[in-house]
Amino acid sequence: MTPPQRKRRRPRPELAPPPLPSVPPTPESGGEDGDNKNPERLYVISGADGARAELDLVTLIVARAAPPPSVTPEQAALLRLCLAPLSVAELSAYLNLPFSAMTALITELITAELVQARAPIVRQALPDRSLLEAVMHGLQKL
Amino acid sequence: MDFKNSDTIPGPRTEDHLPHTAQAAVKIVIVGGFGVGKTTMVGSVSEIRPLTTEETMTQAGIGVDDNYGSESKTATTVAMDFGRISITDQLVLYLFGTPGQERFWFLWNGLFEGALGAVVLIDTRRLEVSFDVMGRLEERGVPFVVAVNSFPDAPRYPIEELRTALDLSPEIPIIECDARRRASSRDVLMTLMRFLHSLAMSGALT
Ligand SMILES: Nc1nc2c(ncn2[C@@H]2O[C@H](COP(=O)(O)OP(=O)(O)OP(=O)(O)O)[C@@H](O)[C@H]2O)c(=O)[nH]1
Ligand SMILES: [Mg+2]
């Protein structure tokens, strides 16, 4: 029996991801220190063109404060969930909210300085070899 | 969902909490046609019970234009399961079992754009169901490896015959796996990582 035949496709540069700046996992990025006064700094990663990167499925969200009385029950539920870091995807799953509704809710909480967002490391034109090696090492332990 | 009773909202089990030192996450997508074993693979390697994130799309977004502009736009719910593997105290890996149809991909920002790479699962009884997704990854420049899920009644082709049928260049790894087994799924992920590493090395030399 011969298998069906596929034909490979060429890269289409217009579909490739825009070049993104490296986003190193800096400790306490978006922490309490003075140069993070602007809450936008916590979730907007400026690209070369100044474009804003939006919340990703694997952006880690961490509560910065206990839920104040002013928040909605929905926001309070989210704040309780992310006492330890949790990805946007996990929050969406636990709160049973669609991804888009989830990002809107998180954006409100970032603006209110109630949560901190830790940006994911994304694929780059030239991937970081030490990152790949760390992932391999972690998988080997599974 | 009743948020007034938010104490009862299910969250991660205590042992599933990420450490506060977790600083960043990376993701890998596991993609393939209907029923090829995506959910099974995510579940077999994940350290947490696999979870599901959903998104709704209206019919206009699906590309069905019969009812376009009509008042009753029906919404379709698209679900994607995912799992998690802690790599270090700072780094977390997420695995997304993604529907093969590209029209769903834009529902989740950066799902493919930011992924380190992809695993394309194939079932040799229905090879052609994964053709389209491979082409889409090629067009987007997302590096991938091919994992042949070994269903018992599936025809077995020599790897090189598969490579020819799938029109894959020699450097792209093709490996057999059993998505139900953690070690086998882990080996698939390792193969992808070694492939990405070799790409990084060759990129660094040019
Ligand atoms: N024998 C065998 N069966 C498998 C393997 N992987 C998955 N299956 C079975 O194949 C069926 C489909 O697997 P799923 O993991 O649900 O496939 P999926 O790609 O997530 O399917 P959809 O989300 O519906 O597209 C299940 O009954 C699995 O138990 C495998 O490696 N070997
Ligand atoms: Mg599935």
Side-chain angles (χ1 to χ4, degrees):
Chain A
M1 199 172 117
T2 37
Q5 181 63 47
R6 185 183 86 99
K7 199 166 181 319
R8 83 176 72 155
R9 296 191 208 153
R10 287 219 198 83
R12 287 169 51 188
E14 76 276 15
L15 291 178
L20 282 156
S22 168
V23 187
T26 45
E28 281 311 302
S29 61
E32 320 291 12
D33 48 321
D35 58 1
N36 274 316
K37 280 270 152 56
N38 178 359
E40 288 225 322
R41 283 277 312 279
L42 306 181
Y43 67 103
V44 174
I45 308 148
S46 289
D49 56 353
R52 57 164 55 183
E54 293 174 57
L55 288 168
D56 187 280
L57 279 163
V58 301
T59 304
L60 296 178
I61 307 298
V62 198
R64 305 177 74 182
S70 57
V71 298
T72 65
E74 203 176 38
Q75 292 174 329
L78 188 149
L79 287 171
R80 267 193 284 276
L81 273 177
C82 56
L83 288 174
L86 216 48
S87 64
V88 176
E90 282 164 296
L91 288 168
S92 152
Y94 288 128
L95 292 171
N96 205 9
L97 280 175
F99 178 66
S100 51
M102 197 66 251
T103 55
L105 185 62
I106 294 169
T107 303
E108 285 167 23
L109 290 172
I110 291 170
T111 310
E113 299 191 12
L114 290 171
V115 299
Q116 176 195 98
R118 300 177 178 174
I121 307 175
V122 301
R123 181 175 82 250
Q124 295 165 265
L126 202 61
D128 180 347
R129 269 156 50 196
S130 59
L131 170 72
L132 299 175
E133 282 157 16
V135 174
M136 285 194 269
H137 191 77
L139 287 173
Q140 251 148 9
K141 289 184 303 188
L142 262 189
Chain B
M1 171 140 285
D2 181 9
F3 288 103
K4 293 200 180 66
N5 226 333
S6 54
D7 286 337
T8 62
I9 283 178
R13 300 174 302 175
T14 312
E15 61 268 37
D16 288 345
H17 285 303
L18 287 173
H20 275 275
T21 48
Q23 285 298 335
V26 291
K27 60 185 182 252
I28 288 174
V29 288
I30 296 171
V31 68
F34 179 74
V36 293
K38 303 178 291 289
T39 302
T40 306
M41 180 170 279
V42 167
S44 73
V45 286
S46 178
E47 70 190 14
I48 55 167
R49 179 179 59 84
L51 297 168
T52 306
T53 172
E54 292 186 343
E55 192 52 278
T56 46
M57 71 196 293
T58 55
Q59 220 167 20
I62 303 174
V64 179
D65 50 13
D66 309 14
N67 289 358
Y68 187 73
S70 77
E71 305 242 327
S72 60
K73 267 198 244 163
T74 44
T76 303
T77 300
V78 185
M80 182 164 66
D81 5 78
F82 63 97
R84 190 183 85 192
I85 299 171
S86 294
I87 298 296
T88 65
D89 286 346
Q90 281 94 45
L91 185 66
V92 194
L93 168 65
Y94 285 91
L95 304 166
F96 289 92
T98 305
Q101 302 93 315
E102 190 192 31
R103 63 177 190 252
F104 297 145
W105 298 355
F106 72 89
L107 291 175
W108 290 276
N109 278 329
L111 174 59
F112 280 85
E113 286 71 13
L116 294 178
V119 172
V120 177
L121 269 179
I122 60 168
D123 173 352
T124 53
R125 295 168 299 186
R126 307 171 291 136
L127 264 192
E128 59 290 345
V129 301
S130 300
F131 283 3
D132 186 56
V133 74
M134 282 184 227
R136 307 269 184 194
L137 296 175
E138 286 164 344
E139 287 174 346
R140 286 161 179 260
V142 181
F144 65 89
V145 299
V146 172
V148 187
N149 213 354
S150 336
F151 291 95
D153 52 337
R156 302 183 83 84
Y157 301 110
I159 293 290
E160 286 320 306
E161 192 175 339
L162 273 179
R163 185 180 300 285
T164 307
L166 297 174
D167 195 17
L168 296 175
S169 55
E171 70 276 9
I172 297 182
I174 304 176
I175 45 164
E176 294 198 14
C177 76
D178 183 335
R180 297 166 302 181
R181 290 179 43 230
R182 167 175 277 210
S184 181
S185 298
R186 194 249 340 259
D187 289 346
V188 170
L189 297 177
M190 279 299 283
T191 303
L192 173 65
M193 295 314 301
R194 277 192 227 101
F195 177 55
L196 297 176
H197 195 261
S198 71
L199 291 180
M201 297 291 278
S202 60
L205 291 176
T206 53

